[in-house]
Amino acid sequence: MHRTLFTPSMVEAFRTCKTAYRVGQAYYADASASAKTRLKSVTRRFILRGLAEINRGKLCSVNQVQKYMGQNWPVDILSAEAKDKDNNTRAFLFAYKTLTRYVGKPYKPYGAEIVGVAQKVRARVPHLRVYVEDTMDLMLWHPNEKRLELVDYQLTPIAHYDPRWPSASILVKQYLAERLKMRFPYERVTLTFFRAGSKEHQPVSLTVDESIFALHWSELVKTLETMKEESQSNSECSANCRHCQTAKEINADEPEAGDPDAEEPLVDESKGRETILEVNLNEMRVKESYSKTA
């Protein structure tokens, strides 16, 4: 049976502009798109993989980070993508500074246990035959507080989060967390957004109220239903959509790679994780599978 799968970035793009959503889907579905991968995207994925290796305990010192970068830095991809050596150099230095800073002070609050690193969590939305999926960069269990903490790493300034109006990313993470309660009998879930970079930044944590989650989740389910129905059609945005032209010029005015203050693209890229944690809501079982990533 065909499974329709949506991620938070896809939902956000669809809500913002249907044209942008379709352009992004077509771009990343194109087999040749890997050769056109933007410098910023490649650098971002490399940093996230490096952070995961640090959280797994495989990289514990600056020397190990240096060796890791020497062996794994995607020279071939970046040489083909960005002919400007200055951009490649800035991207390398930004990745190096980010990883060496984090290895000296990884995020692990007192009393917390690491229970998951770079895990994709997937769950079915009842009655829709639709699945939602998101990557949990870091999962921490606080046994004394019976609290599950889901950490999301960001390389750009952290947006202001209004607890009364949670984003699609927050709603999906909250929904997936509820499906993990069999493994982690928590009393509270905390979502933490950690900005990784060459400078120190305070993480931003929040807890979504259950009543607010229920209210907004019902609206998000309606969006998922619309996305599923329109995936087979070519419906357009309204005539006055101000994002359509920007979406059609998706490759124009790209921010420089390694710029920590650059804005995120309208359609986000997959984080390319190694571990997939799938939650089957019918049988409530947890299944893990592993695959190599480039």
Side-chain angles (χ1 to χ4, degrees):
M1 181 181 296
H2 175 70
R3 295 179 178 181
T4 304
L5 178 65
F6 296 122
T7 63
S9 60
M10 293 167 66
V11 178
E12 294 286 5
F14 185 85
R15 283 180 164 182
T16 303
C17 175
K18 294 177 183 178
T19 301
Y21 170 72
R22 286 201 309 278
V23 169
Q25 291 299 100
Y27 179 82
Y28 292 109
D30 184 0
S32 63
S34 59
K36 305 174 186 176
T37 303
R38 292 170 293 180
L39 176 59
K40 180 183 177 183
S41 176
V42 175
T43 305
R44 179 175 182 269
R45 289 199 297 269
F46 178 85
I47 291 175
L48 290 172
R49 285 196 294 268
L51 295 174
E53 292 297 282
I54 294 173
N55 288 327
R56 292 189 181 105
K58 295 183 179 181
L59 301 178
C60 304
S61 66
V62 173
N63 289 337
Q64 290 178 333
V65 169
Q66 292 173 339
K67 183 178 180 181
Y68 174 81
M69 292 199 64
Q71 294 176 342
N72 298 281
W73 182 250
V75 177
D76 295 338
I77 297 177
L78 295 182
S79 296
E81 170 59 21
K83 297 180 180 179
D84 187 347
K85 293 183 179 180
D86 289 339
N87 281 341
N88 279 331
T89 301
R90 282 195 290 269
F92 179 87
L93 291 176
F94 179 65
Y96 175 77
K97 292 178 181 179
T98 298
L99 295 181
T100 53
R101 181 175 183 81
Y102 186 79
V103 77
K105 193 179 179 181
Y107 182 74
K108 188 180 179 183
Y110 178 77
E113 301 173 1
I114 296 178
V115 294
V117 176
Q119 289 189 329
K120 280 186 178 179
V121 185
R122 179 184 304 168
R124 185 174 67 87
V125 180
H127 311 301
L128 286 186
R129 292 184 180 179
V130 166
Y131 285 76
V132 290
E133 178 183 275
D134 199 8
T135 299
M136 308 302 177
D137 292 333
L138 181 64
M139 298 169 59
L140 299 173
W141 173 245
H142 299 259
N144 295 332
E145 306 174 42
K146 291 186 177 180
R147 176 168 63 93
L148 180 64
E149 182 177 8
L150 306 177
V151 182
D152 184 85
Y153 292 102
Q154 300 188 14
L155 303 183
T156 55
I158 299 174
H160 171 71
Y161 293 103
D162 187 341
R164 299 170 299 176
W165 299 96
S167 65
S169 177
I170 292 174
L171 291 171
V172 170
K173 279 183 169 61
Q174 187 81 12
Y175 179 77
L176 295 174
E178 291 185 359
R179 299 323 187 241
L180 296 174
K181 203 166 188 177
M182 285 187 63
R183 295 185 65 189
F184 311 107
Y186 59 82
E187 295 180 354
R188 185 162 61 97
V189 176
T190 303
L191 306 180
T192 298
F193 298 89
F194 186 97
R195 184 182 176 188
S198 57
K199 299 179 181 179
E200 184 174 358
H201 301 278
Q202 291 297 322
V204 176
S205 297
L206 59 89
T207 301
V208 179
D209 182 84
E210 292 185 4
S211 60
I212 293 179
F213 167 77
L215 175 64
H216 289 279
W217 177 254
S218 62
E219 293 298 320
L220 190 137
V221 169
K222 294 179 182 178
T223 300
L224 294 174
E225 185 175 11
T226 304
M227 292 176 69
K228 181 182 178 183
E229 293 174 353
E230 296 189 0
S231 62
Q232 304 300 325
S233 66
N234 294 317
S235 61
E236 297 291 341
C237 285
S238 59
N240 59 351
C241 177
R242 63 186 179 88
H243 298 286
C244 285
Q245 187 60 33
T246 302
K248 294 174 182 178
E249 299 173 356
I250 192 170
N251 291 322
D253 299 327
E254 277 295 312
E256 290 187 357
D259 182 0
D261 294 320
E263 293 294 333
E264 282 293 292
L266 184 58
V267 182
D268 198 6
E269 300 85 7
S270 170
K271 293 183 179 180
R273 296 296 192 256
E274 297 175 354
T275 309
I276 297 178
L277 178 64
E278 181 174 343
V279 183
N280 188 319
L281 297 188
N282 294 326
E283 301 177 359
M284 290 305 293
R285 295 179 304 178
V286 177
K287 179 176 65 177
E288 293 186 353
S289 61
Y290 300 88
S291 62
K292 294 182 179 180
T293 52

